[in-house]
Amino acid sequence: MSHLDVDLVLVGGGGAASLVLAALDRHGVRGLRIAVVDPVRRRGQDRTWAFWGHPDTDLDPLLSASWHQVEVVTPAQRRVLDLTPLRYAMLRSGPVYDRAAEAERRLDATRIAAPADVVGDDGTGVVVRAGDGREIRAGWALDSRPRPPARAGRTTWLQHFRGWWLEADRPVFDRRRAVLMDFRTPQPARGVSFGYVLPVSDRYALVEYTEFSPDLLTDAGYDTALADYRDLLGFDPDGLRVREVENGVIPMTDAPFPARPSPRVVRLGTAGGATRPSTGFTFSAMYRQADQVARALAAGRPPVPAPAYPARHRWMDAVALRALDSGGVGGPDFFDRLFDRNPAERVLRFLDGVTTPAEEIAIMNSTRLGPMIAATAGDAAQRLRDRLRPARSAPAIPAAVVGGPQRPVPDPEN
Ligand SMILES: Cc1cc2nc3c(=O)[nH]c(=O)nc-3n(C[C@H](O)[C@H](O)[C@H](O)COP(=O)(O)OP(=O)(O)OC[C@H]3O[C@@H](n4cnc5c(N)ncnc54)[C@H](O)[C@@H]3O)c2cc1C
């Protein structure tokens, strides 16, 4: 068995690790011995990240599009939100992976193209056993391998979706603004559904159908829901070609994702709790934590970021998920009231976990108090019951449903 000694091992080289590599490079960290263990070298467009934040960050040159205005649509009204000083942005994975690969070269990191089978920690260092027989000894491990939570949550939902990159024969998309959430889609018996539109030009846009609910749809179910949403938007299907298809499943649960399973192992990304339970948004927390990790290492400190979200936000999300799951609060109504009674910027900062307690009280006051009080009481009772009985193990996060009859349609001219 061959050995490799490094200061830092990145176990998993996807979204979270790519942002860490880029941040280490950006903060000028040099001389650190780094290894990256992942059976897959991620490249190309395998996902599209949408997130909000202040403009003029290092990500700006990589963005496919950004919008200062977004729409939130319900059956009752179409609301145009001005996000200033924030903006909503679209970042495709390709440029992020390319930047990470460039950073990896500059950092002179060692790439191990094999799965990590064992990650052991004796408190003074970490040993990672890779599937190719190599053993990596490291001072610290940043582990972002996908994994189920430590135990089952009180509410276990999924954000699951399919998107089509649509190219139109003529200008049909409004490039000036994105549709953040459009709740005019038929609502599932248990859960919330919405569509959205992210235009990169007046002829090219990502159009998605998303559900927050306990179970996945079938392949045909996603295609039907998406075709229905396209029709609802009033687009002529004959004038549109599906250029790419994007599928995904993201956990939405109050189950715990321990961020520090042992002294020298730090979990990042979805596995480390960076996915906001009430929305599935993950990117901003991953970016924030990557920056904190890099700053710490640049200053010679341990690579331990602050928690992805404050504990009180995780509690509020648990209550909100419970209220939605019980049907006491309707999804469109919940988001409608949130955006109706608060400045958009406050709602978005709340969803990123960076609001003050006073702002959070204002947010809570904008929800329907009766069902939220019932959900708070239910959550407290369930927590008590959980303490008294053994923890149940969590189900694995299912893989996205891919393929199906609706393949990307080849361009007849090519
Ligand atoms: C299609 C899609 C779209 C999304 N869009 C958004 C969005 O718009 N906004 C947002 O905020 N969030 C979004 N997310 C959620 C989240 O931002 C992404 O899932 C993000 O990629 C999570 O990063 P990660 O590093 O935790 O996981 P991943 O990016 O999935 O990386 C995990 C890595 O671990 C590797 N791995 C697996 N097993 C092993 C092993 N045994 N050893 C070593 N490595 C291993 C995998 O090969 C992979 O490279 C989206 C997710 C998906 C799937």
Side-chain angles (χ1 to χ4, degrees):
M1 183 185 289
S2 66
H3 297 280
L4 178 68
D5 284 301
V6 294
D7 302 302
L8 181 71
V9 59
L10 273 63
V11 186
S18 296
L19 293 174
V20 167
L21 288 164
L24 290 172
D25 190 29
R26 182 167 76 244
H27 286 288
V29 173
R30 296 288 178 265
L32 198 73
R33 296 167 305 159
I34 301 171
V36 184
V37 185
D38 194 320
V40 181
R41 182 181 272 282
R42 308 220 77 92
R43 48 167 67 96
Q45 317 289 18
D46 65 10
R47 64 203 56 194
T48 303
W49 283 295
F51 61 98
W52 46 81
H54 289 275
D56 301 324
T57 69
D58 68 299
L59 294 175
D60 280 39
L62 309 187
L63 299 179
S64 297
S66 66
W67 310 269
H68 281 285
Q69 287 190 334
V70 297
E71 293 180 19
V72 174
V73 189
T74 61
Q77 65 170 314
R78 175 180 299 273
R79 189 177 287 112
V80 177
L81 305 174
D82 187 346
L83 306 184
T84 314
L86 305 181
R87 51 105 167 91
Y88 198 47
M90 177 207 272
L91 178 59
R92 302 209 67 193
S93 54
V96 175
Y97 297 148
D98 288 349
R99 179 175 279 186
E102 175 59 23
E104 209 176 303
R105 272 192 297 279
R106 287 155 62 99
L107 294 161
D108 202 18
T110 305
R111 171 62 73 151
I112 292 156
D117 294 333
V118 179
V119 178
D121 179 355
D122 69 3
T124 59
V126 182
V127 176
V128 175
R129 294 219 168 76
D132 64 357
R134 267 192 281 185
E135 189 176 274
I136 302 110
R137 298 182 189 137
W140 287 86
L142 302 178
D143 187 354
S144 56
R145 288 172 297 166
R147 62 170 55 242
R151 55 175 166 74
R154 291 175 290 283
T155 309
T156 302
W157 274 19
L158 301 165
Q159 179 187 142
H160 50 109
F161 51 90
R162 174 165 294 173
W164 289 337
W165 278 95
L166 292 178
E167 187 182 26
D169 289 343
R170 53 184 188 81
V172 294
F173 302 115
D174 183 352
R175 168 70 188 86
R176 291 166 306 162
R177 55 175 84 122
V179 177
L180 183 69
M181 291 173 149
D182 182 345
F183 293 104
R184 292 174 300 156
T185 49
Q187 294 301 307
R190 187 173 164 211
V192 186
S193 82
F194 57 93
Y196 65 80
V197 184
L198 303 179
V200 296
S201 77
D202 55 10
R203 288 170 194 247
Y204 205 56
L206 176 61
V207 177
E208 285 213 7
Y209 172 82
T210 300
E211 273 192 20
F212 296 172
S213 62
D215 300 306
L216 302 186
L217 301 185
T218 61
D219 177 33
Y222 288 111
D223 275 343
T224 303
L226 199 39
D228 288 348
Y229 181 53
R230 176 202 57 202
D231 296 346
L232 182 72
L233 292 167
F235 298 139
D236 170 14
D238 292 337
L240 294 169
R241 283 184 293 279
V242 180
R243 287 301 188 193
E244 294 170 59
V245 180
E246 189 165 313
N247 300 286
V249 179
I250 304 172
M252 294 179 74
T253 176
D254 53 5
F257 288 88
R260 190 88 179 271
S262 62
R264 285 176 174 261
V265 176
V266 172
R267 288 208 190 118
L268 294 178
T270 298
T275 298
R276 178 97 207 210
S278 61
T279 62
F281 277 106
T282 312
F283 185 84
S284 296
M286 290 198 304
Y287 182 79
R288 194 164 58 230
Q289 290 193 312
D291 199 65
Q292 292 166 355
V293 163
R295 278 178 196 278
L297 286 168
R301 288 185 279 113
V304 183
Y309 303 103
R312 63 180 191 282
H313 280 240
R314 293 200 302 273
W315 169 75
M316 286 187 282
D317 275 17
V319 170
L321 274 179
R322 189 179 186 87
L324 289 166
D325 191 38
S326 69
V329 167
D333 179 62
F334 178 77
F335 287 101
D336 206 23
R337 289 173 71 101
L338 221 51
F339 283 108
D340 210 28
R341 293 160 190 233
N342 297 281
E345 189 217 347
R346 182 193 293 158
V347 177
L348 297 186
R349 284 191 300 103
F350 168 72
L351 295 177
D352 271 346
V354 294
T355 34
T356 62
E359 288 174 310
E360 287 147 24
I361 289 170
I363 295 262
M364 290 303 264
N365 279 339
S366 55
T367 61
R368 286 192 193 280
L369 283 183
M372 289 309 253
I373 290 168
T376 306
D379 182 69
Q382 183 80 48
R383 278 173 201 261
L384 200 60
R385 279 200 293 277
D386 284 352
R387 283 215 189 135
L388 301 176
R389 68 177 179 212
R392 288 167 299 128
S393 59
I397 298 156
V401 176
V402 293
Q406 181 68 56
R407 296 264 176 248
V409 179
D411 184 346
E413 290 168 17
N414 291 330

